[in-house]
Amino acid sequence: MIGLGTLINVALIVAGGVVGTVGGRLFTPPVQDTLMKATGLSVLFVGLSGALAGMLTIGDDGTLVSGGSMMVVASFAAGALVGELIDLDARFERLGEWLKRRTGNADDASFVNAFATASLTVCIGAMAIVGSIQDGLTGDWSTLALKGALDALIVCVMTASLGRGCMFSALPVGVFQGCITLLARLIQPVMTDAALTNLSLVESMLIFCVGVNLIGEKTFKTANMLPAVVFAAALAFV
């Protein structure tokens, strides 16, 4: 069944959010704060390791060689400019505010931040794109099922520390991956190995930004840098 992978992914995110909500009620605020910083540290190093893996290679003489710097600079400069012009960060917040009202969570002050942070964490990643294309072309949902298991764990921990807004990250995941699944035949030709490599590098850096925001004050408007992934894929053909 085409689309089953996204449905499984969404269901696992919701399940992780429910478990995190129940568990989070057992924790005192200091414990929740420590858990949030621990989550941020983990997310930060996941992004850092992915970025370093994408930029560093071993040369013929056995030394480390850095690459992709110009692509990264160009992608983030152009992406951040477009993101700021259309202000994706504000749009994410408005969506979060709308969900907060519609779901009866108007009294939850942390709902919008929890929703935006979790959404950016579980939506970003090459697995979402590759898995959705596989699902759309062949009905193979295994990659998205694996991603769903990882997302469930991430959302569970985030919900326990940030609040129940995290579980509603299932909504943008469903829309994003569902659209890619439906458009898989159109997207597949442009998702070359070079394009996926660029995507993975830029997405890892975006995940790093999410981790930094979790640890301290909001430093990066990560949503406003999302268009960088489009430029990264496009630069693979230049």
Side-chain angles (χ1 to χ4, degrees):
M1 172 185 167
I2 292 177
L4 180 60
T6 295
L7 293 177
I8 292 173
N9 197 165
V10 168
L12 288 173
I13 289 175
V14 173
V18 171
V19 173
T21 299
V22 174
R25 292 172 180 170
L26 304 177
F27 301 142
T28 60
V31 173
Q32 290 178 346
D33 182 66
T34 301
L35 187 59
M36 182 176 66
K37 286 182 170 59
T39 304
L41 183 65
S42 301
V43 171
L44 190 152
F45 273 91
V46 167
L48 182 62
S49 63
L52 291 177
M55 296 188 74
L56 299 179
T57 57
I58 299 178
D60 295 334
D61 58 354
T63 59
L64 283 176
V65 179
S66 177
S69 300
M70 292 303 296
M71 183 278 295
V72 167
V73 172
S75 296
F76 272 95
L81 177 61
V82 173
E84 282 291 336
L85 289 174
I86 60 180
D87 204 354
L88 287 175
D89 192 72
R91 293 176 186 272
F92 250 103
E93 289 187 358
R94 285 198 292 271
L95 176 59
E97 290 287 354
W98 180 81
L99 281 173
K100 183 170 77 170
R101 295 191 301 270
R102 299 291 293 181
T103 58
N105 290 289
D107 58 340
D108 186 353
S110 64
F111 184 95
V112 175
N113 179 56
F115 165 73
T117 302
S119 296
L120 290 170
T121 304
V122 297
C123 279
I124 298 172
M127 286 182 75
I129 297 174
V130 174
S132 297
I133 291 176
Q134 289 176 341
D135 194 6
L137 292 177
T138 66
D140 180 4
W141 46 265
S142 58
T143 300
L144 290 184
L146 175 59
K147 176 181 177 292
L150 296 173
D151 289 348
L153 179 60
I154 292 170
V155 170
C156 177
V157 176
M158 280 190 165
T159 303
S161 57
L162 293 176
R164 56 184 176 271
C166 293
M167 77 172 70
F168 291 94
S169 61
L171 177 61
V173 167
V175 173
F176 177 62
Q177 293 179 184
C179 288
I180 293 177
T181 298
L182 292 175
L183 300 173
R185 295 191 183 280
L186 295 176
I187 296 173
Q188 186 196 25
V190 300
M191 287 295 104
T192 61
D193 289 342
L196 287 173
T197 297
N198 286 1
L199 278 173
S200 296
L201 173 54
V202 170
E203 287 168 346
S204 293
M205 295 179 69
L206 290 171
I207 290 173
F208 177 87
C209 295
V210 173
V212 171
N213 287 346
L214 279 170
I215 291 175
E217 296 294 327
K218 185 175 180 180
T219 304
F220 298 104
K221 290 184 177 181
T222 310
N224 281 357
M225 293 188 284
L226 283 176
V229 300
V230 178
F231 288 99
L235 287 173
F237 298 93
V238 175

